[in-house]
Amino acid sequence: MRWQWQRLRYLLKRVTSSVTQRGFKGTLSRIAQELHSRPATDPIWKLEPLNAVLPCSMPRSDAPRVSVIIPIHGKLPYTLACLRSIARHNAAAALEVIVVDDASPDDSADVLSRIDGVRLLRNATNLGYIGSCNAGAGIARGEFLLFLNNDTQVTQGWLDELLACFVEEEGCGIAGSRLAYPDGRLQEAGGIVYANGEAWTYGRFEKRDDPRFLYRRDVDYVSGASLMITAELFQAIGGFDSRYAPAYCEDMDLAFAARAAGRRVIYQPTSLVVHCEGISSGLDPFAGVKRYQSINHTKFVEKWRDALTRQPRPKLPVEQAIQRQGMRHILIVDALTPEPSRDSGSLRLINIMRLLHELNWRITFMANNRRATGAEIALLGRIGVHVLCKPSSLPLPSWLSRHGAGLDAVMLCRHYVAEHYLPLVRRRAPRAKVIFDTVDLHFLREQRAAEHTGNESLARQAKRSRRHELALMRACDASLVVSPVEYQLLRDELPEVDVELLSNVHEVYGRRGDFGDRHGLVFVGGFGHPPNVDAVHWLVEEIVPRIQRERSDIVLHLIGDIPPTARESLARPGVQIHGRVEDLTPWMEGCRVALAPLRYGAGVKGKINMAMSHGLPVVATPVAAEGMHLVDGENVLLAEDAQTFAAAVLRLYADERLWLGLSDASLENIRQYFSFETARGTLKRLLA
């Protein structure tokens, strides 16, 4: 009964500020969820029991990159469970575990001193949470400090994913985890601090896997329950401020100090930590250490009075307050959620999103079918993209009714997607710049397919597509094409329209693997794209037999989505069909020649870009090489018919000097025309 009364007092204490932040309905929802009876733990969790035996040893390094600092005051079973979870989910990064015993009233220190790998620091007197954290940091040897509550249990990748923020996000000073309750509900997805100094933990009691909480972003603060900071920054800002001793508000203060020093505070959803909130200090805000929550709030407001004037106003809805002020917001809509192993268009769009994230844009994405897998959501979340999808998000018309007025730009990808949504976007996002991303000119591809096959019906379809695509370009504020050939075609056809060239975007991986260590040929392309179907059949039926008459040892590797019936027709000696693969690297680094035998199509060919970014020389047809700044004999070998194509492959396969020359020139081509730097300049100009 006493426990229920404490919970009720705690909840009633929060009602006033909660009504201010979320409104009365949101407050009642939180109270109802908290008082609702739930299982103690989510059935899918594999949490460490509190009565298990000691771990035999902890991970330990003499030269740690990360120092994990765990302050404790009693509660030994929770500390042991926390340590066992760290041992079970060992990190890739070298680490040390420092446990700071803050004069525990139980036998914690004696028990922990017997655990191999734990660096135990005993405080002579009780210093409180802040004093213990600072003491642990004082003996830490790592480049990074990771403060972790002893009433937590970590999950796979928790530490390495926090570390990734410092590698992938320029200016990152602090990174924090997604916190969940043992019963499975979300506890925190980054914190909000309002202009009056009141704090709000975003997402509390919501579903932990809702896409709203699964994308990396800058936040006001992250909880000290799992917080990583560079040791250099921690020392420079003086550690946790002792004015907040023994505890509370110190994590908010640290975040404000980091941001005052010009560093970013980042929420990392892929670092998931289970936190048994209230074990260390209780939940009653009027008793024990917890009473300092109110006392320290006053100190925090006094210290950061000027900075708080730049924080969200108290009545601003949470969904708006969580977004960093000053960021522009873009909505991107494509046919499908991008998946880089599926097609080159996906890779291009993902890399465009990466650049937008670097340029400080807030990015929201929706696929036309509103579907996205967990892996796709995680991939986009890693580059700061909020994915709208079933069943968690509203349909686009409803979403635009709520958020359209705040959009600065909308990118509609592919003509049939743009045609469907353009009128809606114009009505509900009136101040947004609307960009039509053609991906490639659909009508040009259809026109060339009709010419290749002599199909009159397809020729009529190409004319209809042309009318639709050109009309869309006139109706949008700007259009994107991937090829200089398409760019010039549109400049001639529509001189009044704003057209920008934004081609494929690739990292330059460089050449790995010597000529003599490489074997075989590789073609990358799925059967969802008609030009690939024609190319594979031409390759297997007419080109490969000519190659194998001269060199029967040369094997062709086919990579991409190929249906079972097509596999049967393509199967023959010397042809290996791998289907779609997650990582092309083994073939990019192990094969000797890449092939692009396309006989029609449009746009820029990602299969060529990908090979060249690895320094893998390419034999292609002129139509495949179109618009890619490629010159026969300098950075590619070109051939139009089966006989000359096979001859070019055999020549390149046997000539190491030619191979090295083309390899070097291929890498330079990617650097000059298809790099992130080139695309970044286009995006800056487009969205200025």
Side-chain angles (χ1 to χ4, degrees):
M1 186 68 184
R2 182 174 178 273
W3 166 241
Q4 290 290 342
W5 173 239
Q6 284 183 339
R7 291 169 73 188
L8 186 58
R9 288 174 69 192
Y10 168 69
L11 289 165
L12 290 175
K13 174 69 175 177
R14 295 201 59 150
V15 164
T16 303
S17 62
S18 181
V19 169
T20 300
Q21 317 307 8
R22 288 187 53 156
F24 190 65
K25 182 178 179 182
T27 301
L28 290 180
S29 175
R30 276 202 171 186
I31 293 175
Q33 288 192 60
E34 177 62 18
L35 295 178
H36 179 65
S37 178
R38 297 179 60 86
T41 61
D42 190 314
I44 74 166
W45 289 137
K46 293 183 180 178
L47 299 182
E48 299 290 336
L50 297 178
N51 58 355
V53 297
L54 295 176
C56 57
S57 65
M58 295 297 297
R60 181 175 182 175
S61 170
D62 293 331
R65 191 174 188 203
V66 181
S67 297
V68 180
I69 301 169
I70 306 174
I72 69 166
H73 180 70
K75 309 295 183 183
L76 178 61
Y78 287 92
T79 304
L80 295 176
C82 176
L83 293 175
R84 284 196 300 273
S85 73
I86 295 173
R88 185 210 284 184
H89 302 294
N90 195 8
L95 62 89
E96 64 175 352
V97 177
I98 299 171
V99 177
V100 184
D101 181 73
D102 194 26
S104 291
D106 57 14
D107 60 345
S108 289
D110 291 336
V111 173
L112 294 170
S113 67
R114 300 196 297 271
I115 300 177
D116 183 38
V118 169
R119 293 186 67 194
L120 180 64
L121 176 63
R122 300 189 188 193
N123 294 340
T125 58
N126 186 277
L127 301 179
Y129 176 83
I130 291 173
S132 295
C133 286
N134 287 340
I139 67 166
R141 297 172 296 182
E143 178 187 354
F144 297 88
L145 309 177
L146 202 172
F147 295 98
L148 186 69
N149 278 18
N150 71 324
D151 56 354
T152 61
Q153 293 195 32
V154 304
T155 66
Q156 191 63 41
W158 69 288
L159 184 148
D160 297 310
E161 290 298 321
L162 288 178
L163 201 56
C165 290
F166 295 87
V167 176
E168 298 169 1
E169 299 288 347
E170 184 178 358
C172 177
I174 293 176
S177 302
R178 176 168 47 123
L179 301 179
Y181 289 104
D183 65 14
R185 292 177 298 172
L186 183 66
Q187 184 179 119
E188 178 186 322
I192 306 166
V193 179
Y194 288 88
N196 60 1
E198 290 287 343
W200 192 263
T201 50
Y202 183 51
R204 186 180 292 267
F205 305 143
E206 302 279 2
K207 294 180 180 179
R208 67 177 181 273
D209 289 332
D210 188 308
R212 288 180 296 157
F213 313 120
L214 296 181
Y215 65 99
R216 188 190 292 176
R217 66 184 185 281
D218 289 63
V219 293
D220 292 335
Y221 77 98
V222 293
S223 169
S226 177
L227 179 156
M228 182 181 282
I229 183 172
T230 63
E232 179 184 17
L233 178 61
F234 189 76
Q235 183 179 8
I237 60 182
F240 286 117
D241 192 335
S242 60
R243 80 180 68 192
Y244 301 107
Y248 288 104
C249 292
E250 74 286 335
D251 47 11
M252 287 197 308
D253 179 87
L254 191 73
F256 269 61
R259 292 196 285 130
R263 307 299 287 275
R264 297 165 61 194
V265 180
I266 295 176
Y267 160 68
Q268 172 61 301
T270 50
S271 172
L272 177 63
V273 172
V274 181
H275 182 212
C276 305
E277 185 182 49
I279 296 302
S280 301
S281 304
L283 290 173
D284 188 346
F286 309 107
V289 175
K290 192 79 172 177
R291 72 183 188 276
Y292 285 93
Q293 201 168 30
S294 176
I295 296 170
N296 286 347
H297 171 259
T298 302
K299 297 178 181 179
F300 177 82
V301 171
E302 291 174 354
K303 179 178 178 180
W304 295 105
R305 191 173 304 278
D306 289 342
L308 287 171
T309 62
R310 296 183 291 276
Q311 292 299 114
R313 64 183 187 275
K315 293 185 178 181
L316 190 70
V318 172
E319 292 290 346
Q320 295 180 37
I322 195 63
Q323 306 301 335
R324 301 302 302 156
Q325 297 192 24
M327 292 183 72
R328 291 183 291 170
H329 189 186
I330 185 170
L331 168 69
I332 300 176
V333 186
D334 199 354
L336 302 172
T337 301
E339 211 303 298
S341 68
R342 184 179 62 233
D343 55 58
S344 65
S346 289
L347 180 61
R348 172 179 173 269
L349 182 56
I350 287 172
N351 286 339
I352 288 172
M353 290 176 179
R354 285 176 60 184
L355 287 168
L356 289 169
H357 180 63
E358 289 177 15
L359 294 172
N360 202 36
W361 278 80
R362 174 186 167 198
I363 310 162
T364 302
F365 173 83
M366 191 195 80
N368 190 37
N369 60 6
R370 293 179 58 215
R371 295 177 183 171
T373 66
E376 290 166 347
I377 293 170
L379 176 64
L380 294 184
R382 194 175 191 91
I383 54 174
V385 179
H386 175 199
V387 178
L388 305 177
C389 61
K390 299 175 182 177
S392 57
S393 67
L394 296 168
L396 191 57
S398 300
W399 187 89
L400 282 170
S401 293
R402 294 189 180 185
H403 304 282
L407 287 171
D408 298 281
V410 177
M411 181 185 292
L412 302 174
C413 306
R414 303 174 206 277
H415 74 97
Y416 49 91
V417 173
E419 191 171 42
H420 180 69
Y421 288 115
L422 180 59
L424 175 70
V425 168
R426 285 299 193 195
R427 288 197 308 272
R428 299 187 182 177
R431 70 182 187 88
K433 181 172 187 176
V434 182
I435 301 161
F436 170 34
D437 182 15
T438 63
V439 182
D440 63 25
L441 289 179
H442 199 73
F443 77 82
L444 185 59
R445 176 156 40 87
E446 290 179 335
Q447 177 183 311
R448 289 174 172 176
E451 292 169 354
H452 176 69
T453 60
N455 187 321
E456 288 297 326
S457 175
L458 192 54
R460 290 191 294 272
Q461 176 60 42
K463 290 180 180 179
R464 288 193 294 270
S465 296
R466 181 180 180 279
R467 287 196 299 272
H468 289 304
E469 285 185 273
L470 297 185
L472 278 169
M473 292 173 194
R474 292 187 181 97
C476 291
D477 298 312
S479 297
L480 299 177
V481 293
V482 298
S483 161
V485 171
E486 295 177 350
Y487 176 83
Q488 191 56 53
L489 184 155
L490 293 175
R491 297 307 300 150
D492 294 340
E493 288 266 353
L494 303 172
E496 75 283 5
V497 169
D498 183 6
V499 178
E500 293 281 355
L501 176 61
L502 183 55
S503 197
N504 291 347
V505 187
H506 288 269
E507 295 183 32
V508 182
Y509 296 101
R511 182 174 62 240
R512 297 183 182 89
D514 295 332
F515 175 85
D517 296 329
R518 294 168 174 265
H519 305 281
L521 316 172
V522 60
F523 173 87
V524 179
F527 271 39
H529 191 54
N532 285 337
V533 180
D534 175 76
V536 169
H537 280 285
W538 187 48
L539 176 61
V540 170
E541 294 163 8
E542 298 189 41
I543 297 172
V544 168
R546 289 177 165 84
I547 293 171
Q548 292 187 337
R549 279 199 290 269
E550 299 289 330
R551 291 284 302 269
S552 61
D553 61 312
I554 295 179
V555 174
L556 170 66
H557 301 272
L558 298 178
I559 297 176
D561 284 323
I562 301 177
T565 52
R567 290 186 181 215
E568 292 175 7
S569 66
L570 295 169
R572 62 203 63 200
V575 176
Q576 293 187 11
I577 303 174
H578 301 277
R580 189 199 295 191
V581 299
E582 292 299 318
D583 184 9
L584 288 170
T585 303
W587 290 271
M588 296 295 104
E589 296 182 357
C591 289
R592 190 174 291 181
V593 179
L595 308 179
L598 301 176
R599 295 192 285 184
Y600 68 92
V604 168
K605 309 306 179 292
K607 58 175 63 63
I608 296 179
N609 288 140
M610 179 58 69
M612 295 176 78
S613 71
H614 287 268
L616 177 60
V618 178
V619 178
T621 57
V623 70
E626 180 182 81
M628 301 185 70
H629 311 279
L630 297 176
V631 178
D632 186 26
E634 291 186 12
N635 44 26
V636 70
L637 293 187
L638 299 180
E640 287 198 74
D641 59 72
Q643 183 62 45
T644 56
F645 200 101
V649 171
L650 289 166
R651 176 188 167 206
L652 179 56
Y653 202 88
D655 189 336
E656 182 173 3
R657 183 176 179 181
L658 172 64
W659 189 93
L660 288 170
L662 292 180
S663 175
D664 290 340
S666 295
L667 293 169
E668 183 56 34
N669 174 270
I670 299 298
R671 291 188 190 99
Q672 187 171 355
Y673 299 108
F674 303 102
S675 67
F676 277 82
E677 191 57 40
T678 299
R680 185 180 290 109
T682 302
L683 285 172
K684 283 183 176 180
R685 184 171 61 253
L686 177 71
L687 297 169

mmCIF file of all heavy atoms in Angstrom, residues 4 30 39 59 71 91 160 214 275 280 330 346 396 451 479 499 503 514 534 553 635:
data_model
loop_
_atom_site.group_PDB
_atom_site.id
_atom_site.type_symbol
_atom_site.label_atom_id
_atom_site.label_comp_id
_atom_site.label_asym_id
_atom_site.label_seq_id
_atom_site.Cartn_x
_atom_site.Cartn_y
_atom_site.Cartn_z
ATOM 1 N N GLN A 4 2.135 1.963 -3.485
ATOM 2 C CA GLN A 4 1.134 2.581 -4.352
ATOM 3 C C GLN A 4 0.958 4.066 -4.005
ATOM 4 O O GLN A 4 0.804 4.905 -4.879
ATOM 5 C CB GLN A 4 -0.203 1.845 -4.224
ATOM 6 C CG GLN A 4 -0.210 0.448 -4.822
ATOM 7 C CD GLN A 4 -0.139 0.482 -6.338
ATOM 8 O OE1 GLN A 4 -0.401 1.500 -6.954
ATOM 9 N NE2 GLN A 4 0.227 -0.639 -6.943
ATOM 10 N N ARG A 30 -0.592 9.147 -19.230
ATOM 11 C CA ARG A 30 0.616 8.698 -18.522
ATOM 12 C C ARG A 30 0.267 8.087 -17.171
ATOM 13 O O ARG A 30 0.799 7.057 -16.785
ATOM 14 C CB ARG A 30 1.592 9.856 -18.320
ATOM 15 C CG ARG A 30 2.479 10.122 -19.517
ATOM 16 C CD ARG A 30 3.725 10.847 -19.124
ATOM 17 N NE ARG A 30 4.661 10.894 -20.245
ATOM 18 C CZ ARG A 30 5.884 11.370 -20.155
ATOM 19 N NH1 ARG A 30 6.336 11.817 -19.005
ATOM 20 N NH2 ARG A 30 6.683 11.382 -21.193
ATOM 21 N N PRO A 39 3.229 -7.160 -16.535
ATOM 22 C CA PRO A 39 4.253 -8.122 -16.109
ATOM 23 C C PRO A 39 5.522 -7.393 -15.707
ATOM 24 O O PRO A 39 5.818 -6.312 -16.203
ATOM 25 C CB PRO A 39 4.483 -8.981 -17.366
ATOM 26 C CG PRO A 39 3.331 -8.712 -18.256
ATOM 27 C CD PRO A 39 2.821 -7.350 -17.926
ATOM 28 N N PRO A 59 35.330 -8.260 -19.249
ATOM 29 C CA PRO A 59 36.273 -7.823 -20.293
ATOM 30 C C PRO A 59 37.173 -6.729 -19.752
ATOM 31 O O PRO A 59 36.740 -5.843 -19.013
ATOM 32 C CB PRO A 59 35.354 -7.298 -21.400
ATOM 33 C CG PRO A 59 34.051 -6.991 -20.727
ATOM 34 C CD PRO A 59 33.930 -7.984 -19.615
ATOM 35 N N PRO A 71 28.778 3.785 -10.753
ATOM 36 C CA PRO A 71 28.727 4.149 -9.335
ATOM 37 C C PRO A 71 27.676 3.311 -8.610
ATOM 38 O O PRO A 71 26.584 3.078 -9.146
ATOM 39 C CB PRO A 71 28.333 5.626 -9.375
ATOM 40 C CG PRO A 71 27.548 5.765 -10.643
ATOM 41 C CD PRO A 71 28.072 4.753 -11.609
ATOM 42 N N ALA A 91 31.716 -5.908 -25.916
ATOM 43 C CA ALA A 91 31.846 -4.913 -26.981
ATOM 44 C C ALA A 91 33.041 -5.219 -27.865
ATOM 45 O O ALA A 91 33.990 -5.894 -27.449
ATOM 46 C CB ALA A 91 31.987 -3.528 -26.368
ATOM 47 N N ASP A 160 29.266 -0.149 -28.578
ATOM 48 C CA ASP A 160 29.825 0.175 -29.889
ATOM 49 C C ASP A 160 28.938 1.133 -30.667
ATOM 50 O O ASP A 160 29.435 1.961 -31.440
ATOM 51 C CB ASP A 160 30.049 -1.108 -30.696
ATOM 52 C CG ASP A 160 31.070 -2.020 -30.026
ATOM 53 O OD1 ASP A 160 32.158 -1.527 -29.682
ATOM 54 O OD2 ASP A 160 30.771 -3.211 -29.831
ATOM 55 N N LEU A 214 13.317 5.743 -33.294
ATOM 56 C CA LEU A 214 14.360 4.886 -33.840
ATOM 57 C C LEU A 214 15.303 5.599 -34.803
ATOM 58 O O LEU A 214 15.956 4.956 -35.609
ATOM 59 C CB LEU A 214 13.729 3.669 -34.531
ATOM 60 C CG LEU A 214 12.949 2.723 -33.615
ATOM 61 C CD1 LEU A 214 12.393 1.550 -34.425
ATOM 62 C CD2 LEU A 214 13.805 2.208 -32.475
ATOM 63 N N HIS A 275 16.590 -0.260 -18.077
ATOM 64 C CA HIS A 275 16.855 0.500 -16.853
ATOM 65 C C HIS A 275 15.724 0.290 -15.856
ATOM 66 O O HIS A 275 14.563 0.597 -16.137
ATOM 67 C CB HIS A 275 16.985 1.997 -17.194
ATOM 68 C CG HIS A 275 17.298 2.855 -16.005
ATOM 69 N ND1 HIS A 275 16.854 4.154 -15.889
ATOM 70 C CD2 HIS A 275 18.006 2.599 -14.872
ATOM 71 C CE1 HIS A 275 17.288 4.661 -14.750
ATOM 72 N NE2 HIS A 275 17.986 3.739 -14.118
ATOM 73 N N SER A 280 17.940 2.876 -7.411
ATOM 74 C CA SER A 280 19.003 3.541 -6.653
ATOM 75 C C SER A 280 18.457 4.602 -5.708
ATOM 76 O O SER A 280 18.873 4.700 -4.558
ATOM 77 C CB SER A 280 20.012 4.180 -7.610
ATOM 78 O OG SER A 280 20.581 3.211 -8.446
ATOM 79 N N ILE A 330 12.658 18.372 -44.412
ATOM 80 C CA ILE A 330 12.340 17.883 -45.749
ATOM 81 C C ILE A 330 11.602 16.551 -45.641
ATOM 82 O O ILE A 330 11.958 15.686 -44.832
ATOM 83 C CB ILE A 330 13.614 17.730 -46.614
ATOM 84 C CG1 ILE A 330 13.240 17.331 -48.052
ATOM 85 C CG2 ILE A 330 14.599 16.743 -46.009
ATOM 86 C CD1 ILE A 330 14.419 17.392 -49.029
ATOM 87 N N SER A 346 18.363 2.879 -54.738
ATOM 88 C CA SER A 346 18.288 2.904 -53.278
ATOM 89 C C SER A 346 19.558 3.457 -52.668
ATOM 90 O O SER A 346 19.521 4.282 -51.747
ATOM 91 C CB SER A 346 18.047 1.477 -52.747
ATOM 92 O OG SER A 346 16.748 1.022 -53.037
ATOM 93 N N LEU A 396 -0.201 9.568 -45.549
ATOM 94 C CA LEU A 396 0.424 10.839 -45.885
ATOM 95 C C LEU A 396 -0.554 12.021 -45.869
ATOM 96 O O LEU A 396 -0.196 13.094 -45.361
ATOM 97 C CB LEU A 396 1.126 10.748 -47.243
ATOM 98 C CG LEU A 396 2.029 11.943 -47.570
ATOM 99 C CD1 LEU A 396 3.100 12.136 -46.501
ATOM 100 C CD2 LEU A 396 2.661 11.773 -48.940
ATOM 101 N N GLU A 451 12.531 0.947 -79.337
ATOM 102 C CA GLU A 451 13.399 0.914 -80.522
ATOM 103 C C GLU A 451 14.179 -0.393 -80.590
ATOM 104 O O GLU A 451 14.372 -0.965 -81.672
ATOM 105 C CB GLU A 451 14.361 2.104 -80.471
ATOM 106 C CG GLU A 451 13.678 3.450 -80.654
ATOM 107 C CD GLU A 451 14.599 4.618 -80.328
ATOM 108 O OE1 GLU A 451 15.742 4.348 -79.852
ATOM 109 O OE2 GLU A 451 14.188 5.779 -80.508
ATOM 110 N N SER A 479 13.766 19.982 -60.735
ATOM 111 C CA SER A 479 13.802 18.567 -61.084
ATOM 112 C C SER A 479 15.246 18.082 -61.079
ATOM 113 O O SER A 479 16.169 18.830 -61.417
ATOM 114 C CB SER A 479 13.173 18.327 -62.453
ATOM 115 O OG SER A 479 11.800 18.692 -62.455
ATOM 116 N N VAL A 499 16.390 22.573 -63.771
ATOM 117 C CA VAL A 499 16.845 21.184 -63.781
ATOM 118 C C VAL A 499 18.248 21.135 -63.198
ATOM 119 O O VAL A 499 19.118 21.931 -63.576
ATOM 120 C CB VAL A 499 16.845 20.599 -65.216
ATOM 121 C CG1 VAL A 499 17.371 19.157 -65.192
ATOM 122 C CG2 VAL A 499 15.447 20.645 -65.797
ATOM 123 N N SER A 503 23.782 13.079 -59.737
ATOM 124 C CA SER A 503 23.988 11.720 -60.198
ATOM 125 C C SER A 503 24.120 10.752 -59.028
ATOM 126 O O SER A 503 23.828 11.080 -57.871
ATOM 127 C CB SER A 503 25.223 11.661 -61.097
ATOM 128 O OG SER A 503 25.231 10.465 -61.857
ATOM 129 N N ASP A 514 45.302 -7.853 -55.695
ATOM 130 C CA ASP A 514 46.150 -7.721 -56.887
ATOM 131 C C ASP A 514 45.533 -8.422 -58.085
ATOM 132 O O ASP A 514 44.698 -9.323 -57.952
ATOM 133 C CB ASP A 514 47.537 -8.302 -56.605
ATOM 134 C CG ASP A 514 48.279 -7.525 -55.533
ATOM 135 O OD1 ASP A 514 48.004 -6.313 -55.401
ATOM 136 O OD2 ASP A 514 49.104 -8.130 -54.824
ATOM 137 N N ASP A 534 17.250 -8.320 -70.218
ATOM 138 C CA ASP A 534 17.797 -8.464 -71.568
ATOM 139 C C ASP A 534 19.312 -8.634 -71.532
ATOM 140 O O ASP A 534 19.876 -9.470 -72.248
ATOM 141 C CB ASP A 534 17.427 -7.217 -72.385
ATOM 142 C CG ASP A 534 18.065 -7.216 -73.760
ATOM 143 O OD1 ASP A 534 17.577 -7.954 -74.649
ATOM 144 O OD2 ASP A 534 19.070 -6.490 -73.941
ATOM 145 N N ASP A 553 38.256 -21.627 -68.060
ATOM 146 C CA ASP A 553 38.422 -21.457 -66.613
ATOM 147 C C ASP A 553 37.748 -20.195 -66.072
ATOM 148 O O ASP A 553 37.650 -20.010 -64.853
ATOM 149 C CB ASP A 553 39.912 -21.403 -66.266
ATOM 150 C CG ASP A 553 40.612 -20.232 -66.953
ATOM 151 O OD1 ASP A 553 40.407 -20.062 -68.171
ATOM 152 O OD2 ASP A 553 41.354 -19.502 -66.266
ATOM 153 N N ASN A 635 39.335 4.692 -69.329
ATOM 154 C CA ASN A 635 38.818 4.282 -68.026
ATOM 155 C C ASN A 635 37.753 3.193 -68.133
ATOM 156 O O ASN A 635 37.115 2.838 -67.152
ATOM 157 C CB ASN A 635 38.257 5.478 -67.246
ATOM 158 C CG ASN A 635 37.406 6.386 -68.118
ATOM 159 O OD1 ASN A 635 36.832 5.945 -69.122
ATOM 160 N ND2 ASN A 635 37.318 7.661 -67.739
#
